């Protein structure tokens, strides 16, 4: 814990912040973000227009007041971010200190108790999210658990001075062998007092992929270099649903990444699984994760193959070859990073549906996902139906799913995961 003890500690000073009337309404409604353009004064002075000259340091506590100097909220100040304050508490005044962080973390961990208790059940899960940022009222902070390793991912430098309180509190709640730090891309060029991507915050260094269980199946997470914190934990329940639908099936897993859907399909009794991803490293990880489970007879019997290639092109090739599958899973990355990219994202979803739906055997299952928060569920589902119709295929919806237990939705922008299960069938054209 020496590294944590060497980090700067937050001072006793507070930034007094006043905001626009519209921002105040959002804050009183419990929204976790305060944008720089909504701030009118800091400590009684007008604020600079650029983050480079903004007052205060990352991690300072900022207190939001109304025009009558009544308390509205308190949060973490981040002068380098357009989300200038990550709001921790709304309503009545409170003290933000080690005890406050411990209590808020305990609440978050308590929400995941059913997952923790599953570790002693017949299909244990030891890989799940402990803290889901804004949605657990800890904006900018994510904590994932992989067996005996915790991964703390920061999306704001404002958390750095508070890690000396956060990490010990986490370890009291979830004793772990190691705690690894991951950083959002935006933090790569900011001074973080000696912290860097992959820094070990507690315990022994992690020098190999970390094993964990998901519904009783074995996986490994590259917590140092893998996407997010090493694995896409939010699709855990959907992977289990696909596994349950895969008995005797030929399965196509597009955007397979490290093979989560592929392994569950094999364990569910799939005859064959084709994993498609543009990353050679991801397909190698998919093979490795499949190999971890060959002690299961169904996995050992499943014919698993991988294709490294761009998804749209691979789907076009499979269509031209008249490839057919009983289950097709399409789980692309986020296509809409900002509002401007939403129309293009919807076009991409349409094209994927147009290419994927014809590959589904009669009576088969199409599973299409979106992790784009800026794309609404209604627009996403409409895009999938529109794309399928272009291929003269109609979709009979079977179910829609969203966020799992460990990825709660705490504010409107917090909802992002949407998954549509449907049964495609060709449209009969009347003469």
């Amino acid at each position: 814990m020496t590294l944590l003890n060497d980090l700067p500690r937050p001072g006793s000073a507070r930034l007094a912040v006043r905001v626009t009337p519209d921002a105040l309404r959002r804050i009183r409604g419990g929204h976790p973000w305060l944008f720089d353009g909504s701030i009118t004064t800091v400590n009684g002075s007008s604020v600079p227009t650029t983050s480079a000259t903004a007052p205060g340091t990352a991690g300072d506590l900022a207190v939001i007041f109304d025009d009558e100097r009544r308390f509205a909220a308190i949060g973490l100040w981040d002068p380098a971010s357009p989300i200038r304050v990550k709001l921790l508490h709304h309503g009545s005044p409170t003290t933000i200190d080690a005890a406050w962080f411990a209590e808020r973390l305990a609440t978050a961990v308590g929400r995941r108790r059913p997952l923790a208790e599953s570790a002693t059940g017949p299909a244990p899960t030891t890989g799940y999210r402990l803290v889901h940022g804004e949605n657990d009222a800890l904006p900018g902070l994510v904590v994932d658990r992989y067996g005996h390793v915790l991964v703390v991912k920061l999306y704001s430098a404002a958390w750095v001075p508070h890690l000396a309180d956060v990490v010990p509190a986490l370890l009291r709640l979830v004793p772990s062998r190691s705690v690894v730090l991951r950083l959002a891309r935006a933090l790569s060029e900011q001074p973080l007092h000696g912290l860097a991507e992959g820094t070990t915050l507690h315990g022994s260094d992690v020098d190999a992929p970390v094993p964990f269980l998901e519904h009783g199946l074995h996986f490994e997470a590259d917590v140092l270099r893998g996407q997010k914190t090493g694995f896409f934990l939010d699709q855990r329940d959907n992977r289990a649903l696909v596994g349950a639908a895969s008995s005797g099936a030929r399965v196509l897993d597009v955007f397979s990444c490290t093979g989560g859907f592929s392994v569950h399909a094999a364990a569910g009794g799939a005859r064959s699984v084709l994993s498609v991803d543009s990353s050679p490293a991801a397909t190698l990880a998919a093979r490795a994760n499949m190999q971890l489970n060959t002690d299961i007879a169904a996995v050992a019997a499943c014919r698993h193959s991988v294709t490294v290639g761009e998804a749209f092109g691979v789907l076009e090739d499979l269509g031209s070859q008249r490839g057919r599958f009983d289950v097709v899973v399409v789980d692309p990355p986020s296509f809409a990073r900002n509002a401007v990219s939403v129309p293009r994202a919807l076009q991409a979803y349409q094209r994927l549906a147009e290419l994927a739906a014809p590959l589904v055997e009669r009576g088969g299952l199409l599973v299409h996902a979106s992790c784009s928060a800026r794309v609404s569920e209604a627009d996403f589902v409409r895009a999938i139906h529109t794309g399928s119709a272009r291929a003269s295929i109609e979709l009979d919806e079977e179910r829609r799913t969203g966020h799992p237990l460990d990825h709660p939705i705490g504010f409107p922008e917090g909802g992002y995961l949407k998954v549509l299960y449907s049964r495609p069938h060709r449209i009969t054209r009347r003469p």
Side-chain angles (χ1 to χ4, degrees), residues 334-349 372-375:
S334 178
F335 287 145
R337 300 288 183 182
N338 49 51
V340 175
S341 60
V342 169
R344 185 178 298 177
L346 292 172
Q347 292 174 3
Y349 290 130
S372 300
R374 293 182 179 274
V375 174

Side-chain angles (χ1 to χ4, degrees), residues 16 53 65 90 155 167 193 228 240 311 317 367 376 388 402 425-426:
T53 55
F65 294 98
H90 303 72
Y155 289 85
V167 173
H193 306 282
K228 301 298 183 180
D317 290 344
V367 181
S376 70
S388 299
H425 63 87
R426 292 203 168 268

